[in-house]
Amino acid sequence: MSTTNAYQLSMNSISRQFSSVTNQCPAQNVIVAHYHLFKNAGTSVDVILKQNFGSAWSKIEFPKINQQSNSHLVQNWLEQQNISAFSSHTALFPLPSLDNTLVLPIVFLRHPLIRLWSVYNFERKHRQVLNASIKLAQSKDFAGYLNYQLDQPLNRSCRNFQNYRFSWLNSQPNKTELERALDGLDWLPIVGIVAEFDLSMELYRQAIAKYYPLFQFQSVHKNITSERNLSQDEKLDLIRTNLDHNTYQRLLDANQDDLQLYSAAKNKLSLLSSQLNNPG
């Protein structure tokens, strides 16, 4: 069997296990893995996981490896743990493969321009850790912040960041990064959308409750900005007013893959929602 076919079978197996589980799985360990993409409602997800799992939930960060996934580090760490859930900003796909263990992933996507506006405003106000990006946000306006980041070709923070993170789900070298990310989107049974947080979490709740029947959530919105009540169009208008034409166009051009991935994820969530409302 080719590496490509083996990989596809592995991912399809994960999808089948996630979507067709039963409450009876006494021989199988189940770990909920929250891949926390920065400013994608991850703090709210962390609150829900902590409420449900308590000390059996852990937060952990992993070192970056140049041009490689650190999934093997995630796997090595999990093999030494006795936990039911974890959250990480820095854990990269693919999902770790553990004996007799099912890993259930939680991950959210957000409109890429709105995410970057949220990142900038968060870092402008941040005072606890002054890393390079935070110092940049506190010294420049939004346009200056973006242009500086985009001037660095290897800096992915403002350039198709979510697409880059999803592309690690598929290691096939003959595909573009966008194609790999879209394949990853198809293989993940559920992908949350920040603007549809409660709907997304209800889908996750149903999937997780098949293994943890007491798993529940109440609507939680942590670490949000004052623009929460604005519509997506209003937020985009606000972003445009804070950028000159050239910078706005540059930002759009640098995030075309993210925009396509986000649109596909919204369509996927809509389909899952229709199945939720019409189970027959």
Side-chain angles (χ1 to χ4, degrees):
M1 180 182 296
S2 70
T3 301
T4 296
N5 289 338
Y7 182 84
Q8 290 174 334
L9 287 173
S10 174
M11 293 305 298
N12 290 336
S13 175
I14 290 171
S15 293
R16 289 194 299 270
Q17 290 177 59
F18 196 110
S19 59
S20 62
V21 294
T22 64
N23 285 337
Q24 288 77 37
C25 54
Q28 191 171 49
N29 186 33
V30 179
I31 298 175
V32 178
H34 173 210
Y35 288 78
H36 182 174
L37 304 190
F38 187 39
K39 299 310 295 176
N40 280 12
T43 303
S44 298
V45 176
D46 285 352
V47 169
I48 292 169
L49 293 179
K50 185 175 182 179
Q51 288 173 342
N52 280 275
F53 294 110
S55 61
W57 166 76
S58 180
K59 291 181 73 173
I60 178 70
E61 303 301 341
F62 299 92
K64 296 180 181 178
I65 305 174
N66 189 34
Q67 303 301 314
Q68 296 182 49
S69 172
N70 59 13
S71 179
H72 65 288
L73 299 180
V74 180
Q75 179 174 323
N76 292 342
W77 177 76
L78 284 173
E79 288 173 345
Q80 307 302 317
Q81 305 301 310
N82 182 24
I83 59 173
S84 301
F86 76 93
S87 299
S88 178
H89 291 90
T90 50
L92 295 179
F93 292 122
L95 298 178
S97 177
L98 302 168
D99 291 339
N100 201 36
T101 299
L102 178 62
V103 179
L104 304 182
I106 294 179
V107 62
F108 275 77
L109 289 175
R110 190 174 189 181
H111 189 290
L113 272 61
I114 295 173
R115 190 193 77 85
L116 286 171
W117 176 245
S118 179
V119 168
Y120 174 72
N121 283 293
F122 175 81
E123 292 186 335
R124 288 274 295 178
K125 300 173 183 177
H126 200 66
R127 292 291 180 269
Q128 294 180 351
V129 178
L130 294 178
N131 61 29
S133 183
I134 291 172
K135 290 179 181 178
L136 182 66
Q138 294 176 0
S139 65
K140 293 183 179 293
D141 62 10
F142 190 39
Y145 173 85
L146 292 173
N147 280 309
Y148 182 89
Q149 305 272 40
L150 291 173
D151 283 341
Q152 303 173 64
L154 298 181
N155 186 331
R156 299 306 301 266
S157 62
C158 297
R159 181 183 287 104
N160 292 323
F161 169 78
Q162 297 170 114
N163 187 78
Y164 169 72
R165 292 293 293 267
F166 266 59
S167 71
W168 286 106
L169 281 160
N170 184 338
S171 59
Q172 297 177 50
N174 60 324
K175 293 197 173 187
T176 67
E177 185 177 280
L178 176 59
E179 289 171 336
R180 296 199 306 272
L182 290 172
D183 283 346
L185 176 67
D186 287 341
W187 284 326
L188 288 174
I190 302 169
V191 173
I193 296 292
V194 172
E196 298 285 351
F197 182 82
D198 288 353
L199 168 61
S200 302
M201 278 308 307
E202 174 57 23
L203 290 166
Y204 279 125
R205 184 200 66 78
Q206 291 193 16
I208 295 169
K210 292 174 182 177
Y211 287 113
Y212 297 100
L214 298 181
F215 187 92
Q216 58 184 316
F217 85 99
Q218 296 179 340
S219 185
V220 176
H221 298 279
K222 294 290 186 179
N223 215 9
I224 57 175
T225 67
S226 59
E227 290 131 19
R228 173 188 165 193
N229 293 324
L230 297 181
S231 69
Q232 177 168 293
D233 287 343
E234 289 171 330
K235 290 177 182 178
L236 291 173
D237 285 341
L238 179 62
I239 291 169
R240 275 190 290 267
T241 63
N242 279 271
L243 295 174
D244 59 272
H245 174 76
N246 288 339
T247 301
Y248 185 75
Q249 189 59 49
R250 188 184 189 195
L251 182 62
L252 282 177
D253 292 343
N255 287 279
Q256 284 301 304
D257 289 354
D258 252 25
L259 288 165
Q260 290 189 57
L261 179 67
Y262 179 69
S263 178
K266 286 180 63 180
N267 290 338
K268 182 184 182 79
L269 183 68
S270 179
L271 178 61
L272 291 174
S273 175
S274 66
Q275 294 172 351
L276 176 68
N277 295 324
N278 301 285

